[in-house]
């Protein structure tokens, strides 16, 4: 929840519900090795954040009202983990 929005995801379902309005995502939330993975872009945009991809820095940024919130590197979990 945030900013008077309630977001609902169901494991294995490609529907994202925001305040009872349903949007179909291109992927579903899932559990892998006892960890829950969610489509961050859809959730961030549902909360009103701006999400951008940059090929020059190979990653994603999420901005809230023009302020930097999160940067993630592109790649699989194992690829990113092995770099750090």
């Amino acid at each position: 929840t945030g900013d008077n929005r309630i977001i609902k995801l169901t494991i294995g379902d490609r529907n994202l519900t925001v305040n009872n309005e349903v949007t179909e995502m291109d992927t579903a939330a899932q559990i892998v090795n006892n960890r829950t993975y969610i489509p961050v872009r859809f959730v961030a945009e549902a909360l009103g954040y701006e999400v951008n991809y940059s090929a020059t820095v190979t990653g994603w940024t999420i901005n809230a009202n023009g302020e930097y919130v999160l940067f993630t590197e592109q790649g699989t979990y194992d690829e990113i983990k092995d770099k750090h």
Side-chain angles (χ1 to χ4, degrees):
T1 63
D3 294 330
N4 296 318
R5 295 181 186 135
I6 298 172
I7 298 173
K8 295 180 184 179
L9 295 165
T10 301
I11 300 300
D13 188 348
R14 293 180 12 170
N15 289 326
L16 169 85
T17 304
V18 180
N19 293 342
N20 297 318
E21 291 185 32
V22 178
T23 301
E24 185 175 349
M25 303 178 291
D26 62 354
T27 189
Q30 57 184 309
I31 297 174
V32 177
N33 296 327
N34 294 319
R35 294 187 184 266
T36 302
Y37 292 87
I38 63 168
V40 173
R41 178 181 202 113
F42 286 96
V43 173
E45 288 176 344
L47 287 170
Y49 295 112
E50 176 185 336
V51 179
N52 296 298
Y53 172 74
S54 172
T56 58
V57 293
T58 61
W60 295 86
T61 59
I62 299 176
N63 297 293
N65 300 321
E67 292 188 33
Y68 170 84
V69 176
L70 172 70
F71 172 79
T72 61
E73 295 179 72
Q74 183 178 10
T76 66
Y77 171 77
D78 289 331
E79 290 169 342
I80 294 168
K81 179 184 70 164
D82 290 344
K83 288 198 265 182
H84 298 281

